[in-house]
Structures are given as C-alpha cells and as structure tokens.
Amino acid sequence: MPPEYVARDVILSIGPIDPRPVDAAEEALVASRIRDEKIRHFRQRAGAARDRRWLHAELALQKAVLEELGGENEDQQRAIDDVKTRLIRTPPPDQEAEFEKLRAAAKGDALLEQAAKVEQTMRWLSLALYEKYYHETYDDDKRDPIAKKIGEVKEAICNDISEEQAAFVDSVVNHPAWDKLGSIPSHHFIYIGDREFLGRIPGESKLLLD
C-alpha cells in the first residue's frame, strides 16, 4: 500500500480531532463569501423584477446591493441611477395621455397650478408639467424653486413603491435563510451553509475530506 494511504488510514483510525480556532482573517473571508452570495442573489432578483417591469422593486434591490458593498461603489451607483432614469421616463399611459391634452392648453402659471393639483395623485404628470414650465421660463427667480420642486417630485416617483413590489423586495432582502447562514471549520476547510445542516455533518466525514 502506498505510504500516503497508510498515513491516511492511521489518521482516520485516531478519529476526529477538534480543529484550531478560526482566526480573524478567516472570519473576514467567511463574511465576504456570505456577502458576495447575498449580492449575487439580490442582483439576480433585481433582474427578475426588471423582467416583470417592476422598476421600483429593481431599484430597491439595487440599493440593497449598494448597502452590502458598503454604501460607496461607482458602478453600483450607475446601476441605481439607470433604474431611476427609467422610472422617471416611463409614464403611466393615462398620465401621458392627460399631459398631451394639457400640453397646448396650459401656459405659464396655469402649468404650475395643474402640476400642484395632481402632485400627490399623478406624480409623472405633475413632473411633466413642472418641467414644461421650467423649460418655457427664463426668469431665474422662478426657475430655481421649480428646479427644486422637480427634484422632489422625481424622488417621490422613485420612492412610490407598491405594496406588492415592497413585499417582493422584503422576501429577498430579509429572507430567513440569511439569518441561518453560518460556518464550521475542519482542519483544512471552512464549511459555509445552514447552521443546522452544518451541525449534522459527521466528524468522520470532515476528517475524511481533510
């Protein structure tokens, strides 16, 4: 029998031995692997939301990815800005039709009156009216507060997520599986997975893999 097999059999005959404690670098690696899996899953579900035209859910999940990345990441911020742009520039059909009716009829301060009137109920229409007023007005004293209002309405549009989409996002970000993830070491490996499942791995099995 080759020497390496003899050594293996001797080690196996001794039986499982407690591994050394996991050090700080290994703990950080485990946390990084779990974070990477969350990011992968969040992005995959964001793509699913996009396929369903659930732009608010897609936006919320992309924001969740940014949070996992520590809150600062240029590429992820661009992904978020892209979803916001699509949200703002995707008008509900009824509001787009209403805007076409008002486009020629409303002028000047009448635009502002109409925009304020529907700001809480038809936000895209309100935004379109504010923007039309902004582009037709050359008085900076009037343009500056309207620019601020445009920003507020855009933010409201992006935050106006439906209960159904919010529930979808919650089921992804706060799935019970994330709280169950843990790790357990052997002599040469660190296993990552469901804590209950990891606890059922026989010591002999880990020793054999080592």
Side-chain angles (χ1 to χ4, degrees), residues 90-186:
T90 305
D94 60 327
Q95 295 185 44
E96 186 175 28
E98 187 65 22
F99 176 66
E100 291 303 323
K101 293 178 184 177
L102 295 172
R103 181 195 292 272
K107 301 288 184 182
D109 290 345
L111 285 170
L112 296 183
E113 293 174 6
Q114 289 288 343
K117 183 178 179 180
V118 299
E119 187 173 326
Q120 299 302 317
T121 56
M122 303 178 78
R123 288 196 172 100
W124 186 90
L125 174 59
S126 177
L127 174 62
L129 294 171
Y130 280 130
E131 288 184 330
K132 186 173 189 296
Y133 179 90
Y134 180 86
H135 292 302
E136 292 178 355
T137 302
Y138 298 97
D139 184 340
D140 287 341
D141 290 338
K142 293 182 178 180
R143 284 168 63 91
D144 290 346
I146 295 305
K148 181 180 178 181
K149 176 60 72 174
I150 287 171
E152 292 172 354
V153 175
K154 285 181 177 180
E155 193 65 24
I157 289 173
C158 292
N159 292 334
D160 192 21
I161 188 170
S162 69
E163 290 185 5
E164 185 177 18
Q165 292 189 46
F168 174 79
V169 173
D170 182 68
S171 72
V172 175
V173 175
N174 298 312
H175 194 284
W178 302 126
D179 291 332
K180 294 179 180 179
L181 284 178
S183 63
I184 189 170
S186 68

Side-chain angles (χ1 to χ4, degrees), residues 180-210:
K180 294 179 180 179
L181 284 178
S183 63
I184 189 170
S186 68
H187 288 283
H188 292 288
F189 302 99
I190 297 178
Y191 303 90
I192 301 173
D194 183 281
R195 290 189 188 90
E196 183 180 347
F197 172 78
L198 294 177
R200 296 199 303 268
I201 299 176
E204 292 80 4
S205 296
K206 288 185 287 184
L207 180 61
L208 184 60
L209 185 58
D210 285 336

Side-chain angles (χ1 to χ4, degrees), residues 35 38-39 42-43 59-73 76-77 80 173-174:
R35 183 205 67 176
K38 291 178 76 172
I39 288 173
F42 291 177
R43 283 177 169 158
L59 176 60
L61 289 170
Q62 294 290 9
K63 287 181 176 179
V65 170
L66 183 63
E67 184 175 342
E68 291 295 329
L69 291 170
E72 294 184 8
N73 182 283
Q76 188 58 32
Q77 188 59 56
I80 290 171
V173 175
N174 298 312

